[in-house]
Amino acid sequence: MSNRTLTITDNGTAKTYTLPVENGTIRAMDLRQIKTGPDDFGLMTYDPAFMNTASCHSSITFIDGDAGILRYRGYPIEVLAEHCTFLEVAYLLLFGELPTESELKNWVNEITHHTMLHEATKKFMEGFGYSSHPMAMLVSSVAALSTVYPEAKEVHDPANRLLQIKRLIAKMPSIAAMSYRHNLGFPYVYPDNDLSYAENLMNMLWKMVEPKYAANPVIARALDILFILHADHEQNCSTNAMRSVGSSQTDPYLATAAAAAALAGPLHGGANEAVLLMLDEIGSKQNVPNYVKAIKEGRGKLMGFGHRVYKNYDPRAKIIKWTAEQVFEVTGRNPKLDIALELERIALEDEYFIKRKLYPNVDFYSGIIYQAMGFRPEMFTVLFAIPRTAGWLAQWQELVTDPEQKIARPRQIYTGHDVRQLVPIEQRTLASVAR
Ligand SMILES: CC(C)(COP(=O)(O)OP(=O)(O)OC[C@H]1O[C@@H](n2cnc3c(N)ncnc32)[C@H](O)[C@@H]1OP(=O)(O)O)[C@@H](O)C(=O)NCCC(=O)NCCS
């Protein structure tokens, strides 16, 4: 415990309070003692969008945005992306340590044997219209798993929790692939237990009439790396949704559906789609200087540039750029890459972007890779949700086992009417509210 304290003087009452400071924070509840009188509720803080509020202690993911650092359980993201598989990283996020060889073998085996979906889930998916958004199908189908596994509500039983965690990590690619094939009107493909996690996803996405799907190892590794990069990002919008919904002790399928719903919004999981639209709008490399000029004149933003947290560089963007090059050797170069590279080159040399610390973020290249793999932009967020499920579940598990956590229930500053008398309906005049 540090000796740092904060002394606050309430100029209204002239009283002074000394609050302990731990890990650079004061406890918001310590402010409640600051009152104008015995009937006063006590001081609160106002923090829309939690811009300066820590909602939990967490030992999962560390980000230093100024230094461009992202670590899972202490391991730099670059090192994990180079040396590990996604399932190894999922194990690390969930259990805190990298697995030994035999632990990993068991883990992979268990996840592989939970990939199959109950036929009831398949029937549920079949009911969606063919033009349904794949993310809406995914969110609904994950929630529907709660009907298949009602025992999941026993969230305080560690063995039960672990079983549902394995099921969710295993079934997410199966649901994602079904949503993809449903849009195309293709029959669903069952999982193949001989394949790795990424290879099996490719199998369920792209297998046609061949008796056994043979995944391209470069594409499989690229997907696995993209999954590692997207597995967790501490208390972002969807993770906060997972924790907030999970705090009511709802089951993990429903909580994961809520987290995926948060991810579906364009301000969260949808930015890579915006990058592709921007590159389409620019059209060719020659148009880049004029496009940058327009941005500097305040006409729009450069999509895939800048980040709320990373103000030096996004460490994931570097790895993605390298991965893109590997993928294009197989798929052929996505012509959008030349526009993207030129955009990056010009922007990184430009005073406007340097001064504002605007660098390419994770979304700048990921959309171009996914498009080269043959995905339509609507699928990008679904591909994001697959690996982020591991992060959501690690954070959920941490929440459920944290004795300090309770049901999430923020306060408000009430700005409405004081108590009013009800007017009988026949005496009411037309309300002067906007209709
Ligand atoms: C990610 C983002 C929302 C972060 O926003 P933020 O931290 O609130 O940063 P601000 O909006 O305060 O921006 C600071 C300055 O940089 C400018 N800026 C930020 N991102 C910019 C971009 N992508 N292109 C051009 N200018 C940008 C702002 O206009 C502002 O300029 P000013 O100081 O002259 O007003 C923002 O950078 C953005 O919209 N980027 C594009 C969308 C995107 O790629 N999102 C994916 C994030 S992973």
Side-chain angles (χ1 to χ4, degrees):
M1 194 157 154
S2 83
N3 295 325
R4 192 174 159 201
T5 56
L6 176 75
T7 298
I8 299 173
T9 303
D10 183 337
N11 295 326
T13 60
K15 279 197 190 153
T16 294
Y17 305 82
T18 299
L19 311 184
V21 177
E22 255 183 87
N23 302 315
T25 55
I26 57 163
R27 289 212 167 230
M29 280 303 286
D30 283 350
L31 296 173
R32 198 64 83 68
Q33 60 184 304
I34 305 178
K35 296 180 179 211
T36 52
D39 296 335
D40 184 15
F41 183 74
L43 201 66
M44 295 193 302
T45 56
Y46 174 59
D47 189 11
F50 306 121
M51 297 282 286
N52 196 38
T53 296
S55 62
C56 59
H57 286 104
S58 182
S59 59
I60 301 170
T61 291
F62 172 78
I63 299 176
D64 180 336
D66 291 332
I69 290 173
L70 169 61
R71 295 184 201 131
Y72 297 159
R73 302 280 190 188
Y75 296 101
I77 190 72
E78 302 82 349
V79 177
L80 294 171
E82 190 180 344
H83 298 285
C84 298
T85 61
F86 167 68
L87 282 186
E88 210 176 337
V89 169
Y91 185 101
L92 171 72
L93 288 169
L94 283 157
F95 305 110
E97 295 298 336
L98 282 166
T100 62
E101 253 181 66
S102 69
E103 282 169 334
L104 181 61
K105 206 168 150 224
N106 280 341
W107 174 242
V108 171
N109 189 44
E110 282 175 302
I111 297 294
T112 306
H113 285 88
H114 281 294
T115 49
M116 191 74 100
L117 290 170
H118 193 289
E119 286 294 293
T121 315
K122 198 177 116 190
K123 288 212 176 76
F124 187 85
M125 294 275 313
E126 279 165 357
F128 291 120
Y130 286 122
S131 59
S132 309
H133 196 290
M135 199 56 192
M137 286 192 265
L138 178 116
V139 169
S140 319
S141 306
V142 172
L145 290 180
S146 169
T147 64
V148 183
Y149 306 110
E151 76 277 11
K153 66 178 184 302
E154 303 301 335
V155 297
H156 291 301
D157 171 0
N160 190 306
R161 255 195 335 255
L162 183 57
L163 176 61
Q164 314 314 328
I165 286 173
K166 286 176 195 162
R167 282 180 172 151
L168 264 161
I169 292 176
K171 292 180 200 309
M172 213 62 176
S174 312
I175 295 176
M178 273 191 185
S179 71
Y180 174 79
R181 290 184 75 102
H182 190 81
N183 278 159
L184 297 172
F186 291 165
Y188 307 140
V189 173
Y190 286 99
D192 180 341
N193 287 358
D194 293 341
L195 302 176
S196 73
Y197 193 78
E199 286 171 340
N200 184 38
L201 171 65
M202 291 165 69
N203 160 63
M204 292 187 289
L205 288 166
W206 294 320
K207 183 171 183 285
M208 295 307 279
V209 291
E210 65 273 39
K212 189 154 180 85
Y213 183 80
N216 180 299
V218 176
I219 303 287
R221 181 62 188 143
L223 270 177
D224 213 51
I225 290 175
L226 285 164
F227 285 176
I228 293 172
L229 301 184
H230 285 93
D232 197 49
H233 213 228
E234 51 120 301
Q235 306 310 313
N236 55 82
C237 177
S238 56
T239 302
N240 182 58
M242 182 83 189
R243 281 182 173 262
S244 184
V245 173
S247 76
S248 74
Q249 298 180 6
T250 190
D251 77 52
Y253 298 104
L254 298 177
T256 301
L263 186 73
L267 296 187
H268 191 1
N272 45 19
E273 189 177 338
V275 173
L276 280 189
L277 297 177
M278 177 187 73
L279 295 177
D280 278 341
E281 192 189 331
I282 297 174
S284 78
K285 207 172 146 180
Q286 293 84 285
N287 298 336
V288 170
N290 274 344
Y291 195 86
V292 171
K293 188 165 165 273
I295 298 283
K296 285 162 59 179
E297 286 165 2
R299 283 184 268 148
K301 279 190 175 170
L302 212 50
M303 287 298 135
F305 263 69
H307 197 277
R308 171 59 60 77
V309 178
Y310 297 116
K311 298 296 179 193
N312 180 332
Y313 68 91
D314 182 338
R316 300 167 300 174
K318 271 192 182 172
I319 308 165
I320 284 207
K321 195 173 168 184
W322 177 86
T323 310
E325 281 156 16
Q326 314 299 307
V327 170
F328 297 146
E329 284 192 12
V330 177
T331 60
R333 204 174 164 84
N334 184 337
K336 296 206 172 74
L337 181 69
D338 293 325
I339 308 174
L341 287 171
E342 182 66 359
L343 203 55
E344 181 180 351
R345 188 187 67 76
I346 294 185
L348 291 183
E349 287 171 0
D350 194 293
E351 184 56 25
Y352 176 96
F353 295 91
I354 296 170
K355 208 173 107 199
R356 290 170 177 77
K357 301 187 171 187
L358 300 171
Y359 300 85
N361 59 46
V362 69
D363 295 312
F364 192 62
Y365 287 105
S366 63
I368 307 178
I369 300 181
Y370 288 140
Q371 196 186 45
M373 288 180 182
F375 294 111
R376 287 178 306 123
E378 290 91 322
M379 268 303 284
F380 296 175
T381 319
V382 170
L383 294 165
F384 187 162
I386 296 172
R388 184 54 63 89
T389 299
W392 290 331
L393 290 167
Q395 301 270 352
W396 169 73
Q397 166 114 308
E398 195 175 61
L399 166 101
V400 174
T401 54
D402 180 350
E404 264 203 317
Q405 290 292 342
K406 293 173 181 233
I407 186 165
R409 179 37 172 108
R411 293 278 171 183
Q412 64 168 9
I413 301 171
Y414 178 67
T415 58
H417 289 281
D418 208 343
V419 66
R420 296 203 281 177
Q421 282 229 311
L422 188 122
V423 180
I425 192 155
E426 62 281 3
Q427 293 171 23
R428 286 178 215 159
T429 51
L430 204 59
S432 58
V433 288
R435 286 175 192 269

